[in-house]
PDB file of all heavy atoms in Angstrom:
ATOM      1  N   PRO C 156      40.707  87.657-122.056  1.00 95.00           N
ATOM      2  CA  PRO C 156      42.029  87.531-122.673  1.00 95.00           C
ATOM      3  C   PRO C 156      43.068  88.443-122.030  1.00 95.00           C
ATOM      4  O   PRO C 156      42.755  89.264-121.159  1.00 95.00           O
ATOM      5  CB  PRO C 156      41.764  87.934-124.126  1.00 95.00           C
ATOM      6  CG  PRO C 156      40.599  88.841-124.068  1.00 95.00           C
ATOM      7  CD  PRO C 156      39.755  88.378-122.916  1.00 95.00           C
ATOM      8  N   ALA C 157      44.312  88.294-122.500  1.00 92.00           N
ATOM      9  CA  ALA C 157      45.443  89.045-121.953  1.00 92.00           C
ATOM     10  C   ALA C 157      45.214  90.549-122.023  1.00 92.00           C
ATOM     11  O   ALA C 157      44.726  91.065-123.034  1.00 92.00           O
ATOM     12  CB  ALA C 157      46.705  88.695-122.744  1.00 92.00           C
ATOM     13  N   ALA C 158      45.573  91.246-120.935  1.00 92.00           N
ATOM     14  CA  ALA C 158      45.549  92.711-120.859  1.00 92.00           C
ATOM     15  C   ALA C 158      44.175  93.311-121.144  1.00 92.00           C
ATOM     16  O   ALA C 158      44.067  94.444-121.604  1.00 92.00           O
ATOM     17  CB  ALA C 158      46.602  93.316-121.796  1.00 92.00           C
ATOM     18  N   LYS C 161      41.193  92.487-116.710  1.00 96.00           N
ATOM     19  CA  LYS C 161      40.552  91.585-115.733  1.00 96.00           C
ATOM     20  C   LYS C 161      41.302  91.502-114.406  1.00 96.00           C
ATOM     21  O   LYS C 161      40.662  91.397-113.366  1.00 96.00           O
ATOM     22  CB  LYS C 161      40.348  90.189-116.326  1.00 96.00           C
ATOM     23  CG  LYS C 161      41.625  89.457-116.630  1.00 96.00           C
ATOM     24  CD  LYS C 161      41.339  88.113-117.267  1.00 96.00           C
ATOM     25  CE  LYS C 161      42.597  87.298-117.396  1.00 96.00           C
ATOM     26  NZ  LYS C 161      43.776  87.972-118.024  1.00 96.00           N
ATOM     27  N   THR C 179      44.818  83.440-111.365  1.00 97.00           N
ATOM     28  CA  THR C 179      45.128  82.037-111.685  1.00 97.00           C
ATOM     29  C   THR C 179      46.175  81.913-112.791  1.00 97.00           C
ATOM     30  O   THR C 179      46.810  80.875-112.924  1.00 97.00           O
ATOM     31  CB  THR C 179      43.863  81.250-112.087  1.00 97.00           C
ATOM     32  OG1 THR C 179      43.319  81.809-113.297  1.00 97.00           O
ATOM     33  CG2 THR C 179      42.825  81.287-110.983  1.00 97.00           C
ATOM     34  N   GLY C 180      46.359  82.982-113.574  1.00 97.00           N
ATOM     35  CA  GLY C 180      47.400  82.952-114.601  1.00 97.00           C
ATOM     36  C   GLY C 180      48.771  82.729-113.980  1.00 97.00           C
ATOM     37  O   GLY C 180      49.658  82.119-114.598  1.00 97.00           O
ATOM     38  N   TYR C 183      49.844  79.033-113.879  1.00 98.00           N
ATOM     39  CA  TYR C 183      50.355  78.515-115.157  1.00 98.00           C
ATOM     40  C   TYR C 183      51.719  79.121-115.483  1.00 98.00           C
ATOM     41  O   TYR C 183      52.605  78.454-116.017  1.00 98.00           O
ATOM     42  CB  TYR C 183      49.345  78.785-116.279  1.00 98.00           C
ATOM     43  CG  TYR C 183      48.047  78.034-116.053  1.00 98.00           C
ATOM     44  CD1 TYR C 183      47.001  78.615-115.347  1.00 98.00           C
ATOM     45  CD2 TYR C 183      47.908  76.730-116.491  1.00 98.00           C
ATOM     46  CE1 TYR C 183      45.821  77.924-115.109  1.00 98.00           C
ATOM     47  CE2 TYR C 183      46.741  76.022-116.256  1.00 98.00           C
ATOM     48  CZ  TYR C 183      45.697  76.625-115.565  1.00 98.00           C
ATOM     49  OH  TYR C 183      44.545  75.930-115.312  1.00 98.00           O
ATOM     50  N   ARG C 184      51.870  80.414-115.170  1.00 97.00           N
ATOM     51  CA  ARG C 184      53.168  81.060-115.385  1.00 97.00           C
ATOM     52  C   ARG C 184      54.247  80.382-114.536  1.00 97.00           C
ATOM     53  O   ARG C 184      55.362  80.134-114.995  1.00 97.00           O
ATOM     54  CB  ARG C 184      53.078  82.543-115.033  1.00 97.00           C
ATOM     55  CG  ARG C 184      52.342  83.362-116.086  1.00 97.00           C
ATOM     56  CD  ARG C 184      52.054  84.785-115.619  1.00 97.00           C
ATOM     57  NE  ARG C 184      51.325  85.532-116.640  1.00 97.00           N
ATOM     58  CZ  ARG C 184      51.896  86.333-117.544  1.00 97.00           C
ATOM     59  NH1 ARG C 184      53.194  86.541-117.518  1.00 97.00           N
ATOM     60  NH2 ARG C 184      51.167  86.956-118.448  1.00 97.00           N
ATOM     61  N   ALA C 229      53.343  79.862-120.346  1.00 96.00           N
ATOM     62  CA  ALA C 229      52.119  79.509-119.612  1.00 96.00           C
ATOM     63  C   ALA C 229      51.045  79.006-120.566  1.00 96.00           C
ATOM     64  O   ALA C 229      50.362  78.017-120.293  1.00 96.00           O
ATOM     65  CB  ALA C 229      51.608  80.723-118.832  1.00 96.00           C
ATOM     66  N   SER C 230      50.907  79.673-121.717  1.00 92.00           N
ATOM     67  CA  SER C 230      49.832  79.259-122.613  1.00 92.00           C
ATOM     68  C   SER C 230      50.161  77.950-123.327  1.00 92.00           C
ATOM     69  O   SER C 230      49.263  77.279-123.821  1.00 92.00           O
ATOM     70  CB  SER C 230      49.443  80.377-123.583  1.00 92.00           C
ATOM     71  OG  SER C 230      50.261  80.391-124.714  1.00 92.00           O
ATOM     72  N   ALA C 233      49.455  75.366-120.389  1.00 96.00           N
ATOM     73  CA  ALA C 233      48.024  75.433-120.030  1.00 96.00           C
ATOM     74  C   ALA C 233      47.152  74.615-120.971  1.00 96.00           C
ATOM     75  O   ALA C 233      46.000  74.340-120.658  1.00 96.00           O
ATOM     76  CB  ALA C 233      47.552  76.888-120.040  1.00 96.00           C
ATOM     77  N   ARG C 239      46.219  71.191-116.234  1.00 97.00           N
ATOM     78  CA  ARG C 239      44.950  71.807-115.812  1.00 97.00           C
ATOM     79  C   ARG C 239      44.340  71.014-114.656  1.00 97.00           C
ATOM     80  O   ARG C 239      43.845  71.587-113.688  1.00 97.00           O
ATOM     81  CB  ARG C 239      43.969  71.911-116.982  1.00 97.00           C
ATOM     82  CG  ARG C 239      44.498  72.672-118.185  1.00 97.00           C
ATOM     83  CD  ARG C 239      43.390  73.243-119.035  1.00 97.00           C
ATOM     84  NE  ARG C 239      42.780  74.388-118.386  1.00 97.00           N
ATOM     85  CZ  ARG C 239      43.260  75.637-118.438  1.00 97.00           C
ATOM     86  NH1 ARG C 239      44.331  75.918-119.144  1.00 97.00           N
ATOM     87  NH2 ARG C 239      42.646  76.607-117.790  1.00 97.00           N
ATOM     88  N   GLY C 260      40.943  84.577-114.639  1.00 97.00           N
ATOM     89  CA  GLY C 260      41.648  83.651-115.512  1.00 97.00           C
ATOM     90  C   GLY C 260      40.989  83.525-116.865  1.00 97.00           C
ATOM     91  O   GLY C 260      40.562  84.537-117.464  1.00 97.00           O
ATOM     92  N   ARG C 261      40.920  82.275-117.365  1.00 95.00           N
ATOM     93  CA  ARG C 261      40.352  82.012-118.694  1.00 95.00           C
ATOM     94  C   ARG C 261      39.139  81.093-118.615  1.00 95.00           C
ATOM     95  O   ARG C 261      38.277  81.139-119.481  1.00 95.00           O
ATOM     96  CB  ARG C 261      41.397  81.335-119.603  1.00 95.00           C
ATOM     97  CG  ARG C 261      42.681  82.120-119.843  1.00 95.00           C
ATOM     98  CD  ARG C 261      42.418  83.347-120.655  1.00 95.00           C
ATOM     99  NE  ARG C 261      43.646  84.032-121.095  1.00 95.00           N
ATOM    100  CZ  ARG C 261      44.455  84.728-120.305  1.00 95.00           C
ATOM    101  NH1 ARG C 261      44.192  84.844-119.022  1.00 95.00           N
ATOM    102  NH2 ARG C 261      45.515  85.347-120.804  1.00 95.00           N
ATOM    103  N   ASP C 262      39.125  80.213-117.585  1.00 97.00           N
ATOM    104  CA  ASP C 262      38.095  79.162-117.514  1.00 97.00           C
ATOM    105  C   ASP C 262      37.432  79.138-116.140  1.00 97.00           C
ATOM    106  O   ASP C 262      36.944  78.104-115.701  1.00 97.00           O
ATOM    107  CB  ASP C 262      38.747  77.797-117.766  1.00 97.00           C
ATOM    108  CG  ASP C 262      39.792  77.462-116.697  1.00 97.00           C
ATOM    109  OD1 ASP C 262      40.325  78.394-116.050  1.00 97.00           O
ATOM    110  OD2 ASP C 262      40.065  76.269-116.484  1.00 97.00           O
ATOM    111  N   ILE C 263      37.449  80.269-115.440  1.00 98.00           N
ATOM    112  CA  ILE C 263      36.916  80.255-114.065  1.00 98.00           C
ATOM    113  C   ILE C 263      35.394  80.074-114.088  1.00 98.00           C
ATOM    114  O   ILE C 263      34.848  79.220-113.390  1.00 98.00           O
ATOM    115  CB  ILE C 263      37.303  81.550-113.294  1.00 98.00           C
ATOM    116  CG1 ILE C 263      38.806  81.815-113.399  1.00 98.00           C
ATOM    117  CG2 ILE C 263      36.851  81.460-111.839  1.00 98.00           C
ATOM    118  CD1 ILE C 263      39.691  80.700-112.897  1.00 98.00           C
ATOM    119  N   ARG C 288      49.542  96.516-122.587  1.00 92.00           N
ATOM    120  CA  ARG C 288      50.610  95.611-122.154  1.00 92.00           C
ATOM    121  C   ARG C 288      51.977  96.177-122.520  1.00 92.00           C
ATOM    122  O   ARG C 288      52.937  96.071-121.767  1.00 92.00           O
ATOM    123  CB  ARG C 288      50.359  94.224-122.778  1.00 92.00           C
ATOM    124  CG  ARG C 288      51.275  93.095-122.363  1.00 92.00           C
ATOM    125  CD  ARG C 288      51.416  92.889-120.862  1.00 92.00           C
ATOM    126  NE  ARG C 288      50.229  92.762-120.074  1.00 92.00           N
ATOM    127  CZ  ARG C 288      49.605  91.617-119.787  1.00 92.00           C
ATOM    128  NH1 ARG C 288      50.053  90.490-120.246  1.00 92.00           N
ATOM    129  NH2 ARG C 288      48.549  91.601-119.010  1.00 92.00           N
ATOM    130  N   ARG C 310      48.728  84.152-128.348  1.00 91.00           N
ATOM    131  CA  ARG C 310      48.264  83.567-127.082  1.00 91.00           C
ATOM    132  C   ARG C 310      46.740  83.447-127.073  1.00 91.00           C
ATOM    133  O   ARG C 310      46.200  82.416-126.661  1.00 91.00           O
ATOM    134  CB  ARG C 310      48.738  84.464-125.938  1.00 91.00           C
ATOM    135  CG  ARG C 310      49.004  83.726-124.683  1.00 91.00           C
ATOM    136  CD  ARG C 310      50.281  84.184-124.008  1.00 91.00           C
ATOM    137  NE  ARG C 310      50.283  85.570-123.608  1.00 91.00           N
ATOM    138  CZ  ARG C 310      49.696  86.035-122.508  1.00 91.00           C
ATOM    139  NH1 ARG C 310      48.989  85.240-121.731  1.00 91.00           N
ATOM    140  NH2 ARG C 310      49.805  87.305-122.180  1.00 91.00           N
ATOM    141  N   ASP C 314      44.817  79.979-126.599  1.00 90.00           N
ATOM    142  CA  ASP C 314      43.927  79.809-125.444  1.00 90.00           C
ATOM    143  C   ASP C 314      42.499  79.490-125.880  1.00 90.00           C
ATOM    144  O   ASP C 314      41.779  78.763-125.194  1.00 90.00           O
ATOM    145  CB  ASP C 314      43.925  81.086-124.581  1.00 90.00           C
ATOM    146  CG  ASP C 314      45.246  81.287-123.847  1.00 90.00           C
ATOM    147  OD1 ASP C 314      46.043  80.332-123.788  1.00 90.00           O
ATOM    148  OD2 ASP C 314      45.468  82.401-123.333  1.00 90.00           O
ATOM    149  N   ARG C 317      42.404  75.567-127.708  1.00 90.00           N
ATOM    150  CA  ARG C 317      42.726  74.289-127.049  1.00 90.00           C
ATOM    151  C   ARG C 317      41.432  73.528-126.719  1.00 90.00           C
ATOM    152  O   ARG C 317      40.380  74.142-126.490  1.00 90.00           O
ATOM    153  CB  ARG C 317      43.567  74.534-125.790  1.00 90.00           C
ATOM    154  CG  ARG C 317      42.836  75.233-124.702  1.00 90.00           C
ATOM    155  CD  ARG C 317      43.686  75.414-123.436  1.00 90.00           C
ATOM    156  NE  ARG C 317      42.925  76.182-122.478  1.00 90.00           N
ATOM    157  CZ  ARG C 317      43.362  77.272-121.864  1.00 90.00           C
ATOM    158  NH1 ARG C 317      44.575  77.740-122.085  1.00 90.00           N
ATOM    159  NH2 ARG C 317      42.584  77.898-121.009  1.00 90.00           N
TER     160      ARG C 317
HETATM  161  O1  CDP K 205      48.028  88.600-117.545  1.00 67.84           O
HETATM  162  P1  CDP K 205      47.691  87.923-118.815  1.00 67.84           P
HETATM  163  O2  CDP K 205      46.254  88.004-119.128  1.00 67.84           O
HETATM  164  O3  CDP K 205      48.604  88.263-119.936  1.00 67.84           O
HETATM  165  O4  CDP K 205      48.010  86.387-118.650  1.00 67.84           O
HETATM  166  P2  CDP K 205      47.650  85.441-117.429  1.00 67.84           P
HETATM  167  O5  CDP K 205      46.253  85.667-116.978  1.00 67.84           O
HETATM  168  O6  CDP K 205      48.735  85.531-116.423  1.00 67.84           O
HETATM  169  O7  CDP K 205      47.686  83.988-118.127  1.00 67.84           O
HETATM  170  C1  CDP K 205      48.834  83.482-118.769  1.00 67.84           C
HETATM  171  C2  CDP K 205      48.415  82.255-119.558  1.00 67.84           C
HETATM  172  O8  CDP K 205      47.990  81.227-118.648  1.00 67.84           O
HETATM  173  C3  CDP K 205      47.231  82.461-120.500  1.00 67.84           C
HETATM  174  O9  CDP K 205      47.602  82.879-121.780  1.00 67.84           O
HETATM  175  C4  CDP K 205      46.574  81.068-120.518  1.00 67.84           C
HETATM  176  O10 CDP K 205      47.144  80.247-121.488  1.00 67.84           O
HETATM  177  C5  CDP K 205      46.900  80.488-119.170  1.00 67.84           C
HETATM  178  N1  CDP K 205      45.749  80.503-118.254  1.00 67.84           N
HETATM  179  C6  CDP K 205      44.793  79.515-118.382  1.00 67.84           C
HETATM  180  O11 CDP K 205      44.861  78.698-119.277  1.00 67.84           O
HETATM  181  N2  CDP K 205      43.746  79.446-117.520  1.00 67.84           N
HETATM  182  C7  CDP K 205      43.624  80.343-116.534  1.00 67.84           C
HETATM  183  N3  CDP K 205      42.589  80.232-115.676  1.00 67.84           N
HETATM  184  C8  CDP K 205      44.566  81.379-116.393  1.00 67.84           C
HETATM  185  C9  CDP K 205      45.633  81.440-117.280  1.00 67.84           C
END
Side-chain angles (χ1 to χ4, degrees):
K161 66 182 188 310
T179 64
Y183 296 91
R184 285 170 181 265
S230 85
R239 304 204 74 83
R261 301 292 189 288
D262 62 337
I263 309 302
R288 185 52 52 90
R310 211 137 62 80
D314 290 346
R317 67 178 176 232

